[in-house]
Amino acid sequence: MICNQCNASIPEGEELQHRGQTLCEDCYIERLEPPKTCDVAAVHSAKQARQQAGHEGSEGLTPPQKAVYEYVRASGLVTHQQIMDQLQLTRPQLDRIFATLRHCELLRACRQDGQIYLTLWAEQETNPS
């Protein structure tokens, strides 16, 4: 069986149905509960956890999270598409990663000339949204 959203192979008996589509577990969960970037409780929790662990910058991030953070850090303002192309990520993967990095106050989104960009959180003062 193949997931209708991500085209991943689904083991027999583990497929899930949602609105007429056959989905893998990850895509099913994403459909029911998409990542939320602006979540006050998640921001507080992420900041506290990182502070207690003594993490700064990319310390404590998963390899995909670290790759996105480092790419944005090296590039400055980047679009979702640029990150997806460079790191071979799907939009749902990037959305999940960005939500976590936003909760940690490492990355943020801003709009310039009608285009949405991702940038470092610390650059908020120099690149107003």
Side-chain angles (χ1 to χ4, degrees):
M1 182 100 3
I2 301 293
C3 176
N4 292 141
Q5 182 168 326
C6 71
N7 295 319
S9 179
I10 307 169
E12 187 67 35
E14 293 186 20
E15 66 275 1
L16 298 160
Q17 298 297 317
H18 181 69
R19 296 189 177 192
Q21 290 192 316
T22 302
L23 302 173
C24 65
E25 184 177 14
D26 288 341
C27 291
Y28 180 77
I29 290 170
E30 184 179 296
R31 288 278 177 94
L32 294 180
E33 192 65 39
K36 296 179 181 136
T37 56
C38 298
D39 182 335
V40 175
V43 170
H44 178 74
S45 178
K47 285 175 59 180
Q48 289 295 335
R50 288 179 56 79
Q51 184 179 31
Q52 288 175 355
H55 292 158
E56 292 184 15
S58 63
E59 294 175 331
L61 299 177
T62 65
Q65 292 166 348
K66 189 172 191 169
V68 170
Y69 175 76
E70 294 297 339
Y71 180 72
V72 173
R73 191 171 139 231
S75 303
L77 292 174
V78 293
T79 65
H80 288 86
Q81 192 62 52
Q82 288 171 314
I83 296 170
M84 292 184 306
D85 291 346
Q86 181 68 30
L87 302 176
Q88 299 301 301
L89 296 171
T90 64
R91 183 59 189 252
Q93 290 171 322
L94 179 56
D95 288 346
R96 281 192 304 273
I97 292 168
F98 175 67
T100 300
L101 296 174
R102 168 61 179 79
H103 295 158
C104 294
E105 293 187 343
L106 293 173
L107 295 184
R108 68 184 187 90
C110 65
R111 184 182 304 266
Q112 288 189 2
D113 301 322
Q115 179 74 29
I116 296 175
Y117 294 93
L118 301 185
T119 190
L120 293 179
W121 184 269
E123 294 180 5
Q124 189 160 0
E125 293 78 32
T126 59
N127 294 323
S129 356

